[in-house]
Amino acid sequence: MMLNFFGKIFDQNQKEIDKLMPVVAKINSFEPEIQKLSDEKLTAKTAEFKNRLVRGEILDDLLPEAFAVAREAIKRIVNERAFDVQLLAAATLHKGRVAEQKTGEGKTLAAAVTAYLNGLSGKGVHVVTVNDYLARRDSGWYGRALNFLGLKVACIVHEQA
C-alpha cells in the first residue's frame, strides 16, 4: 500500500519532468545565438522583453528566451552556467510549484533565473529563504547578474538581537 503511494508520487514527478523537457530543449536552442551577443545587446534583451509584454505576450511566451538570457548573464558575471536540472527547477518555480533539489544542486541559481523572468513584469519578485547568510551572499552574487540585465536587487534579513 505504502509502496504504491510513493510509486504514484514518483510517476507524477516524472510526468511533470517529461512535460518540461521540451521547454528546456527550447531554452537550449537559444544558447548559441545568445552567447554571441555583446554585453550591450544582451542587456538590451530586458527592454525587448518588457516591450513584448506590453504588446500582449505573457511571461510563458518569453520563458525560453528569457531563461537563456539569464543563464548567459549569470555565466558572464558569476561564471556559473545553469544546467538542465536547474532550468527544470526554474520552470517549475515559475509555474508556482515546489522544486526539490538537494544541497549543491543549484537552488539559488534556479531561483535567480526565475526571478529574472518574473521581474520583467515590473511587479516585483521576492525570493525567500530562512538562511540570512545565504540571502546576503546570493543576493550579492546572483544580484550582480540581474543588475547587469537591468533589474534592481535588494536583500532584507532578520536582524539578530
Side-chain angles (χ1 to χ4, degrees):
M1 177 79 155
M2 190 64 126
L3 227 44
N4 191 22
F5 171 75
F6 287 118
K8 286 181 182 179
I9 290 174
F10 292 121
D11 286 347
Q12 187 59 37
N13 286 345
Q14 189 59 51
K15 286 178 187 174
E16 290 298 321
I17 290 168
D18 292 345
K19 283 183 201 173
L20 290 173
M21 286 311 293
V23 175
V24 172
K26 183 74 172 167
I27 297 164
N28 288 334
S29 75
F30 281 105
E31 190 170 28
E33 172 188 333
I34 298 295
Q35 285 176 328
K36 293 176 187 173
L37 296 176
S38 67
D39 286 353
E40 294 77 23
K41 287 185 179 179
L42 184 64
T43 60
K45 286 296 214 176
T46 299
E48 176 191 322
F49 293 144
K50 288 180 177 185
N51 287 332
R52 288 168 59 185
L53 288 171
V54 169
R55 290 192 313 263
E57 289 189 61
I58 61 172
L59 292 176
D60 288 348
D61 297 332
L62 302 178
L63 187 149
E65 189 176 3
F67 274 23
V69 165
R71 173 168 62 187
E72 182 62 22
I74 291 168
K75 184 177 167 189
R76 290 183 192 187
I77 303 301
V78 183
N79 200 29
E80 291 182 2
R81 180 188 173 277
F83 293 105
D84 289 358
V85 68
Q86 290 144 338
L87 298 174
L88 281 169
T92 301
L93 291 174
H94 171 68
K95 291 182 174 290
R97 296 192 174 136
V98 174
E100 183 178 0
Q101 293 176 275
K102 296 178 184 173
T103 300
E105 286 187 334
K107 291 180 283 295
T108 309
L109 194 154
V113 170
T114 308
Y116 173 69
L117 173 65
N118 286 272
L120 294 170
S121 70
K123 295 179 182 176
V125 174
H126 295 101
V127 177
V128 179
T129 179
V130 297
N131 187 319
D132 286 353
Y133 166 75
L134 291 179
R136 279 188 199 98
R137 184 196 75 183
D138 294 341
S139 66
W141 199 348
Y142 294 109
R144 291 184 300 139
L146 297 179
N147 287 157
F148 171 79
L149 290 172
L151 300 184
K152 294 179 183 174
V153 177
C155 178
I156 302 171
V157 295
H158 179 267
E159 293 299 326
Q160 304 232 341

